């Protein structure tokens, strides 16, 4: 199920996007667990699909000359993921200002339901090398981000 995803909508009082990732052998380290660097890649995979689902995908945004670099990143590892485990990644927008966008991530082992990892990323928007606000420059994307944030 590597790279399979589904938009789940509301679960109880939480609103989120779910992305599923199967841990691959080449992602393991000498200890037989997934190397910590791959979690950041998985976060990006989940984030890209999430933004695609709300009509604000990176491909679209980049066609409009906008890039969205990572400003900060935090990852807390709670339990190990091993080769062939399937991980459910829940991702949601946690903050949006027009110039910055923040995401919260939770990684779960699909078979046990155990929380494996908690993470957060913050991004800005740039065009022609300068930070921009989507509120003024690209209201279509601004609205998509606000709509998602308000679904909490």
């Amino acid at each position: 199920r590597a790279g399979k995803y589904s938009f789940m909508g509301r679960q109880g009082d939480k609103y989120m996007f779910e992305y599923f990732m199967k841990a691959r052998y080449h992602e393991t380290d000498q200890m037989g667990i997934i190397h910590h660097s791959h979690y950041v890649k998985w976060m990006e995979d989940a984030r890209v699909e999430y933004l695609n689902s709300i009509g604000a995908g990176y491909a679209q945004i980049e066609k409009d000359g906008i890039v969205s670099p990572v400003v900060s990143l935090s990852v807390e590892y709670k339990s190990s993921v091993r080769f062939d485990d399937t991980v459910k990644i829940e991702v949601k927008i946690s903050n949006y200002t027009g110039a910055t966008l923040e995401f919260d991530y939770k990684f779960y082992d699909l078979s046990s339901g155990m929380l494996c990892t908690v993470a957060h990323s913050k991004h800005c928007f740039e065009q022609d090398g300068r930070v921009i606000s989507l509120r003024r420059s690209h209201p279509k994307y601004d609205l998509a981000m606000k709509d998602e944030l308000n679904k909490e």
Side-chain angles (χ1 to χ4, degrees):
R1 291 176 53 161
K4 299 281 183 182
Y5 59 92
S6 62
F7 184 67
M8 298 303 290
R10 264 192 203 284
Q11 286 190 354
D13 63 348
K14 295 192 299 183
Y15 184 83
M16 76 204 61
F17 180 85
E18 291 182 344
Y19 184 82
F20 298 89
M21 190 74 208
K22 186 157 185 106
R24 297 165 290 200
Y25 186 76
H26 72 271
E27 296 170 319
T28 61
D29 63 15
Q30 225 173 5
M31 296 177 286
I33 61 174
I34 299 304
H35 189 270
H36 67 272
S37 65
H38 291 288
Y39 291 81
V40 176
K41 295 173 187 176
W42 292 356
M43 290 164 61
E44 181 174 58
D45 290 343
R47 185 174 64 248
V48 165
E49 293 303 332
Y50 176 37
L51 291 174
N52 283 341
S53 78
I54 66 169
Y58 280 141
Q60 289 175 269
I61 288 175
E62 288 179 356
K63 282 181 187 173
D64 288 336
I66 304 166
V67 294
S68 184
V70 175
V71 174
S72 66
L73 182 70
S74 67
V75 184
E76 184 180 340
Y77 305 98
K78 305 256 184 210
S79 66
S80 299
V81 175
R82 300 186 176 280
F83 165 65
D84 213 33
D85 288 350
T86 300
V87 176
K88 176 178 75 170
I89 304 167
E90 294 178 353
V91 58
K92 69 176 186 170
I93 293 174
S94 59
N95 192 36
Y96 171 71
T97 67
T100 62
L101 178 63
E102 298 180 47
F103 296 91
D104 286 335
Y105 310 81
K106 289 184 180 177
F107 293 62
Y108 294 91
D109 178 281
L110 193 60
S111 64
S112 70
M114 182 181 289
L115 179 64
C116 303
T117 306
V118 176
H120 181 84
S121 65
K122 182 176 182 179
H123 310 258
C124 69
F125 299 101
E126 293 182 0
Q127 192 165 31
D128 300 322
R130 289 193 295 221
V131 174
I132 63 166
S133 172
L134 294 183
R135 288 181 182 159
R136 290 182 292 240
S137 64
H138 296 82
K140 171 177 82 171
Y141 300 131
D142 179 64
L143 184 59
M145 305 301 178
K146 285 179 182 173
D147 284 349
E148 281 302 298
L149 188 59
N150 290 331
K151 287 181 181 176
E152 291 233 34

